[in-house]
Amino acid sequence: MPRPRAVLRALVPLALLIPLAACGGSPPAGDRAAEAAPAPGFPYTVTNCGVSSTYQAPPERAVTMNQHATEMLLALGLQDRMAATAYLDDSVLPAYRPAYDKIKVLAEQYPSKEVLLGADPDFVYGGYASAFDKAQGRDREGLAKAGINSRLSVEYCGTGPVGLEQLKTEITEVARTFGVPERGARLIEDEQRRIDAVTARVKDKARPTVFVYDSGEGTAFTSGGGGIGNEIVSLAGGTNTFADLKDTFGDVSWEKVIERRPEVVLIYDYGGTTVEAKKQRLLNDPALAEVPAVKNKRFVVLPLSSAVLGVRVADAVESLGRQLHPDTA
């Protein structure tokens, strides 16, 4: 996607260009001032996960890595500012598909440093910390030295539990970075309205204990209390069995799962392992036979892209609320 260029001289009548050329071709002082004027609301300085960035103007060639970063920009109507994208966990929301299909995909997962730089980005937005893997040459410090600003989702800043305030921060700062704060405000309002409707419906319901099963064989990779996944379970009327695990995600022993006797298993749907395969892994393990959720075959499902900090949080709360409390749907 070529960078937009102001072509002011093409708009000036030929009769006016001749005297300008006689004077050395310099535009009038007023035109020079207009050309030099910063975009409204800029420069803008923001500190994200310990990295301070100053934007003199909105990014024009953004590259998004990870689905929730991609969908954030699409939800804000910024597809014309996206040079490329990479790494989907599952399907893009249907509402965003037409815009997404017009954007170059750099790689099925993360692009190499060379491929990333070849897209000529002025901004790189990562949803997971792995997007900025230093060993792969994609670290934020290295990008900054190349003149490229970057942002990491605040879910991975490691500053404490992540909830709706952090979602508001993420949307607000991204929208502000691109000079569209009003779009961010509208998106926040819509997310909050939808979430409030669910919490009102489930507030007087019994809260089942929920074990999140992302993946794992020898151990269980689950959602801890540090990420938005924990908040989604709570807002939908459940209690995360491993809320005391401080990380966003983490490994726990199957003995711990058995000991805590969850009433519901929430399966994250993504990647090459199907939901059915994950169910069978749990159902076929004799050690889990007396775990209430497994014994009663009480499984609920969310796509992984809905269980991370992004524009699908309201979708996730609505969907999980219906699955945990079908009588309130």
Side-chain angles (χ1 to χ4, degrees):
M1 184 181 298
R3 300 188 188 212
R5 299 179 185 275
V7 196
L8 297 179
R9 288 189 180 275
L11 303 177
V12 181
L14 182 60
L16 294 180
L17 287 177
I18 294 172
L20 284 176
C23 297
S26 297
D31 287 352
R32 288 199 303 272
E35 289 177 4
F42 290 85
Y44 168 59
T45 299
V46 61
T47 299
N48 161 246
C49 295
V51 177
S52 181
S53 302
T54 297
Y55 297 85
Q56 300 299 329
E60 296 179 348
R61 294 188 57 80
V63 171
T64 53
M65 296 196 289
N66 304 119
Q67 184 162 344
H68 46 305
T70 297
E71 290 186 345
M72 178 71 77
L73 296 198
L74 294 177
L76 292 170
L78 296 168
Q79 57 269 19
D80 61 328
R81 313 277 190 86
M82 297 173 68
T85 184
Y87 213 146
L88 294 185
D89 288 315
D90 43 64
S91 297
V92 170
L93 285 172
Y96 305 148
R97 192 82 216 187
Y100 175 80
D101 285 343
K102 296 177 183 177
I103 302 167
K104 182 178 182 179
V105 177
L106 295 181
E108 184 176 339
Q109 296 187 359
Y110 291 125
S112 67
K113 176 184 178 181
E114 292 72 24
V115 170
L116 176 60
L117 295 181
D120 190 26
D122 57 5
F123 177 78
V124 177
Y125 183 15
Y128 298 113
S130 53
F132 298 112
D133 186 346
K134 187 171 185 178
Q136 299 298 318
R138 296 190 307 265
D139 56 295
R140 297 183 71 184
E141 182 180 2
L143 291 173
K145 289 178 180 177
I148 302 168
N149 283 315
S150 63
R151 180 177 182 86
L152 173 62
S153 169
V154 295
E155 187 167 18
Y156 286 88
C157 287
T159 55
V162 174
L164 294 185
E165 284 306 310
Q166 286 70 33
L167 177 62
K168 292 175 184 177
T169 295
E170 189 70 13
I171 294 173
T172 298
E173 292 183 353
V174 172
R176 181 70 178 78
T177 296
F178 282 85
V180 290
E182 70 291 344
R183 299 182 197 177
R186 287 196 298 269
L187 183 55
I188 290 169
E189 183 179 2
D190 181 64
E191 291 276 322
Q192 189 67 62
R193 174 186 57 78
R194 293 166 60 195
I195 290 168
D196 287 346
V198 176
T199 57
R201 290 198 299 269
V202 304
K203 67 177 181 179
D204 295 324
K205 298 293 181 179
R207 302 175 69 86
T209 52
V210 179
F211 161 57
V212 176
Y213 182 44
D214 175 287
S215 57
E217 290 293 333
T219 57
F221 194 56
T222 190
S223 175
I228 194 67
N230 181 71
E231 183 79 344
I232 288 169
V233 171
S234 180
L235 291 168
T239 300
N240 180 10
T241 305
F242 288 99
D244 58 335
L245 183 67
K246 293 183 180 180
D247 295 331
T248 302
F249 287 95
D251 285 296
V252 296
S253 69
W254 290 110
E255 288 76 16
K256 283 287 186 184
V257 176
I258 295 166
E259 177 185 307
R260 298 193 181 191
R261 299 179 59 79
E263 299 167 281
V264 179
V265 173
L266 168 55
I267 295 175
Y268 284 167
D269 182 14
Y270 72 100
T273 305
T274 66
V275 169
E276 187 58 32
K278 291 181 180 181
K279 286 183 183 179
Q280 291 305 315
R281 188 264 173 260
L282 301 176
L283 290 169
N284 294 336
D285 187 340
L288 301 176
E290 295 304 313
V291 172
V294 177
K295 184 176 183 178
N296 298 323
K297 299 183 180 179
R298 193 170 180 198
F299 299 104
V300 296
V301 179
L302 284 178
L304 178 62
S305 55
S306 293
V308 289
L309 194 75
V311 298
R312 294 196 189 202
V313 169
D315 291 344
V317 173
E318 288 173 339
S319 176
L320 188 57
R322 288 191 298 267
Q323 293 179 78
L324 293 179
H325 302 285
D327 57 325
T328 67

